Amino acid sequence: MAITKEIDSKIIWDLLAAIPDPEIPVINIVELGVVRNVKVANESVEVVITPTYSGCPAMQMIEDDIKEHLKLKGCQNVKVTTVLSPAWTTDWIPEEAREKLKEYGIAPPEKPTSDFDALIGKPKECPQCGSSKTELKSQFGSTPCKSLYVCTDCKEPFDYFKCH
Ligand SMILES: [Zn+2]
């Protein structure tokens, strides 16, 4: 049976889904929404990625991980192309991945619901106890794409994945 281009790119997508996000290991880079396209032609593979935000230090790591992982799986000719437009948005993170974030202790991104909210939104609830009483402690959490909150009920600090 001849392997069609379609099957090849499906295999590549599956391989990419095995690569964890360097900052949040419970979700993979496909779930993070940074992989935009996979092009397979003859022996070469091109993976098109869009950075989560410009200057994100994890992007170089993601690019290296893609090349290394696909080479280990036998793809000799791997090219990673970065496309900046359309810009990445947290809307590209699917529901299942948002659940994984929450289980990991990170409040998933929420769209701002009022003009009073900052553009980055705010957590709906504490990922630990589910309380809606949360307080912003710092605009920057463990990484610049998250902010640090504390729950006023269980007193636990947690990261909020900024809406973007
Ligand atoms: Zn709490």
Side-chain angles (χ1 to χ4, degrees):
M1 192 183 78
I3 295 173
T4 66
K5 279 182 186 178
E6 208 178 330
I7 291 172
D8 276 344
S9 66
K10 169 84 175 68
I11 292 169
I12 303 300
W13 277 104
D14 287 348
L15 292 175
L16 294 172
I19 304 175
D21 171 40
E23 287 173 353
I24 311 162
V26 286
I27 63 172
N28 66 60
I29 59 168
V30 175
E31 288 173 319
L32 185 65
V34 298
V35 181
R36 299 319 306 154
N37 202 358
V38 170
K39 297 173 194 167
V40 180
N42 303 320
E43 302 284 284
S44 66
V45 175
E46 183 184 1
V47 180
V48 181
I49 58 172
T50 296
T52 49
Y53 63 98
S54 62
C56 176
M59 288 314 293
Q60 186 57 51
M61 226 186 293
I62 289 176
E63 188 177 328
D64 294 344
D65 283 351
I66 290 172
K67 287 182 183 159
E68 197 187 350
H69 189 74
L70 294 184
K71 272 186 188 143
L72 273 175
K73 297 290 176 183
C75 308
Q76 288 311 314
N77 236 320
V78 181
K79 188 174 146 200
V80 177
T81 309
T82 300
V83 171
L84 299 175
S85 174
W88 180 85
T89 147
T90 39
D91 292 350
W92 293 352
I93 302 176
E95 196 50 47
E96 313 92 75
R98 286 163 194 265
E99 284 302 315
K100 287 188 200 172
L101 284 175
K102 217 192 282 182
E103 280 165 31
Y104 188 61
I106 298 172
E110 301 288 344
K111 280 209 182 311
T113 49
S114 78
D115 294 343
F116 299 105
D117 291 346
L119 286 169
I120 57 164
K122 60 181 179 196
K124 200 170 80 193
E125 56 191 21
C126 162
Q128 260 86 244
C129 73
S131 166
S132 59
K133 290 182 205 124
T134 59
E135 203 173 89
L136 178 67
K137 281 288 160 198
S138 165
Q139 283 297 345
F140 298 99
S142 59
T143 62
C145 60
K146 304 185 206 86
S147 42
L148 182 67
Y149 272 79
V150 72
C151 172
T152 45
D153 276 334
C154 74
K155 315 285 184 218
E156 288 291 326
F158 65 92
D159 270 343
Y160 166 62
F161 201 124
K162 294 174 190 174
C163 181
H164 191 81

